[in-house]
Amino acid sequence: MRIYVPATVAGLRRLLETEQLQPLSGTAFALTPRLREAYAVGDDEELEYVAMTEAARASLRLLATELAEDPSAPPRRAVVSADVDDVTLRPDLDDAVVRVAGPIPMARLAAVHLDLEEAGDAVRAAAAVVDAADLGDPDAEFTLGEAEDHELAWYGVQELPFVLELM
């Protein structure tokens, strides 16, 4: 199953050091049967994009914690896509949520999706209000939308060391 794991730049650096990805609490996102049922239309590619977008929003939550501890942390959403077999569906949490049993080895990773530098201000602002948006604050949701208007760039896993070196 293709899964989308929320991450941050610091998490991507750890990935390179350890050569494995450890999703926080094992949480990832995927095209699940429940997600498919939630949409009346949409092919697999469109629904995979929905799952990746959910992972990008979860990345904002991780980033909010990092920015609170270190305001100079790079304000970029990151999502790592991987192909894994051992996942547990968690429809009690959300339509696209899955749990991964353990760390994901580098060989199972498919790609890295990362904000470009130009998204930084919008992402920083969205990280500051992501919880308020989850609680229904319309101004916070608008701010979140501004960050989500920035598409994540796609990188092959082999490109990750070079991408991080440029940051």
Side-chain angles (χ1 to χ4, degrees), residues 44 69 89 109:
D44 284 358
E69 294 172 6
L89 302 178
L109 305 183

Side-chain angles (χ1 to χ4, degrees), residues 19-167:
E19 295 189 356
Q20 62 182 10
L21 179 64
Q22 178 61 59
L24 182 65
S25 300
T27 301
F29 299 81
L31 170 51
T32 65
R34 181 95 178 249
L35 181 63
R36 188 178 307 282
E37 289 173 12
Y39 285 82
V41 295
D43 61 19
D44 284 358
E45 186 175 331
E46 291 168 316
L47 296 175
E48 293 267 353
Y49 183 79
V50 170
M52 187 177 76
T53 301
E54 290 297 318
R57 187 172 280 208
S59 173
L60 282 173
R61 292 180 189 87
L62 299 175
L63 186 56
T65 301
E66 282 187 12
L67 288 169
E69 294 172 6
D70 178 10
S72 67
R76 305 224 186 147
R77 297 169 298 160
V79 174
V80 180
S81 57
D83 296 311
V84 298
D85 298 321
D86 189 18
V87 299
T88 303
L89 302 178
R90 291 300 310 266
D92 55 313
L93 297 176
D94 203 303
D95 292 342
V97 175
V98 297
R99 293 279 187 204
V100 181
I104 303 165
M106 188 84 100
R108 304 296 301 201
L109 305 183
V112 176
H113 311 271
L114 185 65
D115 273 313
L116 298 175
E117 186 175 358
E118 65 196 30
D121 291 339
V123 169
R124 184 179 298 278
V129 300
V130 66
D131 290 336
D134 286 343
L135 295 173
D137 181 312
D139 292 331
E141 188 63 43
F142 179 80
T143 300
L144 210 63
E146 290 194 348
E148 291 174 344
D149 284 345
H150 292 272
E151 292 289 329
L152 299 176
W154 181 97
Y155 298 97
V157 175
Q158 71 278 9
E159 295 176 285
L160 187 56
F162 306 107
V163 170
L164 293 177
E165 186 177 311
L166 294 173
M167 296 180 114

